[in-house]
Amino acid sequence: KWSANLSSALFLVKLVAIAFLIVLGVISLSKGRYGQLRQGFRNTSIDITSLSIAFSETMWAYDGWNNANYITGELTSPRLLPIALSIAVPLVIVCYLLVNVAYMSILPTSVFLSSEAIATDASVRMIGETGYIIMPLLVAASCFGAANGTIFSGARVSFESAKRGDLPQVLGLIHKKHVTPITALLFQFVMAVFYISAVDINSLILFFSFMAWLFYCSAMVALIVLRVREPGLPRVLKVPLPLPIIVILFGAFLIVTPFYRYPVQSSIALAFMILSVPIYFVFV
């Protein structure tokens, strides 16, 4: 409960940061400053592999949409899940689009492409040195909120898998006092430290995007197979079949094309997944 309340509070802080940047963008546009917006998609590459990588990194930014599925056991009613997603996903899309319009209107192309702290650079350009204080604090709170939400939801995957017998039972233990999946949280912490220490952030994003979309597509295939094999099975939520088909086609594009641009990294990610099969049968 404490973690959920903290996530809600940090979510409000994140909305404040986004609203602040959007207002700065509106002010910039009202003064006739269009920055990179005047150039549109000039000099943009239309190479198919470049588009795939761009989509992968963009979808990674949106990836929190699936975290809600991990905590359905915490909901009072499963029907709250589609309601939450139908509100949250469009809200995130609108916020992201407006924030990027603000960045593009405030910053020149050279700064927009090279900036390592684009929110801070945009705020400093509009409000001066105060931006060096305000924006880093808001961004830090936003990052902390995202990390808190991921920790809260991610540990539930290992916890529930252990309860079902798909992972070692030790990961299904809970804290006696706080009733939290303590071993699953510790396992998640160890794995996070390992991945951060082993590879750089760009490679980590590539590995994650490749594996994530591989499993997203697998889940969609499983959904279609169950719908065909078990048409009469009681379902709390029934997804229209065109939706998983679209996800499979889009996901296949994101899975296959990176092999042309990053064959080594993609092969390593695939090898890790294949290696997990014998490990599962031997140890689980």
Side-chain angles (χ1 to χ4, degrees), residues 43-101:
N43 299 324
T44 298
S45 172
I46 57 173
D47 176 69
I48 193 69
T49 55
S50 297
L51 289 175
S52 172
I53 299 303
F55 270 119
S56 294
E57 296 190 356
T58 302
M59 294 307 295
W60 178 75
Y62 283 99
D63 200 71
W65 64 268
N66 65 312
N67 284 11
N69 300 295
Y70 301 157
I71 57 171
T72 50
E74 309 282 338
L75 301 177
T76 56
S77 171
R79 295 190 180 276
L80 292 175
L81 180 61
I83 296 175
L85 290 176
S86 63
I87 296 173
V89 173
L91 177 62
V92 170
I93 292 173
V94 171
C95 288
Y96 275 22
L97 288 175
L98 292 178
V99 165
N100 278 280
V101 168

Side-chain angles (χ1 to χ4, degrees), residues 13 16-17 20 24 119-120 123-124 127-141:
V13 175
V16 169
F20 177 67
L24 292 181
T120 300
S123 60
V124 168
I127 64 174
E129 298 296 315
T130 307
Y132 283 122
I133 301 174
I134 296 176
M135 191 49 61
L137 290 175
L138 292 175
V139 171

Side-chain angles (χ1 to χ4, degrees), residues 12 78 174 262:
L12 294 177
I174 60 174
Y262 302 107

Side-chain angles (χ1 to χ4, degrees), residues 144-237:
F144 186 75
N148 180 70
T150 301
I151 292 170
F152 176 75
S153 60
R156 266 65 183 175
V157 178
S158 302
F159 175 69
E160 290 295 333
S161 297
K163 286 173 59 179
R164 294 171 180 267
D166 296 326
L167 285 177
Q169 292 185 354
V170 66
L171 296 178
L173 301 178
I174 60 174
H175 194 280
K176 183 178 180 180
K177 178 180 178 181
H178 301 292
V179 198
T180 53
I182 183 65
T183 51
L185 287 167
L186 291 174
F187 173 72
Q188 183 175 252
F189 166 74
V190 171
M191 294 303 296
V193 171
F194 168 75
Y195 285 123
I196 292 173
S197 305
V199 296
D200 62 276
I201 185 63
N202 291 325
S203 297
L204 194 58
I205 292 174
L206 179 64
F207 290 158
F208 173 82
S209 298
F210 176 82
M211 296 300 296
W213 280 99
L214 188 61
F215 281 104
Y216 294 161
C217 288
S218 300
M220 296 301 104
V221 171
L223 187 151
I224 295 174
V225 170
L226 283 174
R227 186 70 59 84
V228 173
R229 290 184 178 179
E230 303 286 349
L233 194 68
R235 292 175 170 86
V236 178
L237 306 172

